[in-house]
Amino acid sequence: MRKTPLAKLLASPAATKRVTALDAVALAQKTWHTGERIDIGKLADELGVARATVFRWVGSREQLYGEVVSAAFAQSIEAARRQSKGKGAAFLTDVTRNLLTSLSKSKSLRAFIRHDAEFALRIVMSSASPVEGRVIAAVRELIVAEAEAGHLHPEIDVASLAYVIVRIAESFLYRDVLTG
């Protein structure tokens, strides 16, 4: 007996797996790591769902990029923290140095900025994007940990110190784009 196209589709392994928003984010992260632009239509096609479905899952292209870049940053700061030495200000300086070195060498980040610098800066530096808030929170956690261990006694409030560190680091990291 000859199988119909629908019967073949239903018998395939793909038919038993339901695609979710997590699949969309995972595919976007994979795309990011290859240095390609994240295109919602292309993601939808690869996942076998409608563009509207992907938009419903992720909100907008900006929100999806924000989540992808935030996840990449979280991995980078954790790696920088693990490879850093010292205590207090020396430790924070080493983490910052290691993080900036890693980010400046990131092919994904460089490609993102090269594709559309204005959009990229809006994603990484805007308070409307999740990236900036999460970066500041991660730096704040490092400062708090050093202060609680007695290795650091900040002269200003921790939230302001974290913000200043992040803004100074961003000015070095994105200097070429910011200054034209």
Side-chain angles (χ1 to χ4, degrees), residues 16-99:
T16 61
K17 183 181 183 291
R18 185 174 186 95
V19 179
T20 69
L22 295 177
D23 296 312
V25 173
L27 184 54
Q29 288 173 326
K30 181 180 174 188
T31 302
W32 162 267
H33 288 295
T34 65
E36 295 176 53
R37 287 182 192 201
I38 298 172
D39 178 287
I40 301 286
K42 191 173 176 183
L43 287 177
D45 288 345
E46 288 186 45
L47 294 169
V49 298
R51 283 173 41 104
T53 299
V54 176
F55 276 111
R56 191 177 64 251
W57 287 340
V58 302
S60 69
R61 180 173 171 246
E62 289 83 1
Q63 289 171 311
L64 179 58
Y65 262 108
E67 294 301 328
V68 169
V69 173
S70 292
F73 171 78
Q75 292 174 342
S76 296
I77 197 164
E78 180 56 28
R81 187 196 59 74
R82 280 194 313 270
Q83 61 187 224
S84 296
K85 309 256 186 282
K87 294 178 181 179
F91 175 73
L92 294 174
T93 301
D94 205 27
V95 170
T96 303
R97 182 185 53 77
N98 288 329
L99 179 61

Side-chain angles (χ1 to χ4, degrees), residues 101-167:
T101 299
S102 170
L103 293 175
S104 68
K105 291 179 180 178
S106 169
K107 291 178 183 176
S108 303
L109 182 60
R110 286 192 314 214
F112 179 46
I113 293 169
R114 186 177 58 249
H115 291 312
D116 187 345
E118 185 178 315
F119 177 73
L121 289 182
R122 202 168 58 241
I123 298 301
V124 298
M125 295 181 71
S126 168
S127 59
S129 168
V131 178
E132 180 180 282
R134 291 176 187 169
V135 170
I136 292 169
V139 172
R140 185 183 178 285
E141 287 175 18
L142 291 172
I143 296 167
V144 167
E146 289 301 297
E148 287 177 351
H151 305 305
L152 186 69
H153 307 287
E155 297 293 323
I156 64 173
D157 69 282
V158 174
S160 296
L161 180 57
Y163 179 81
V164 168
I165 290 170
V166 168
R167 282 301 187 181

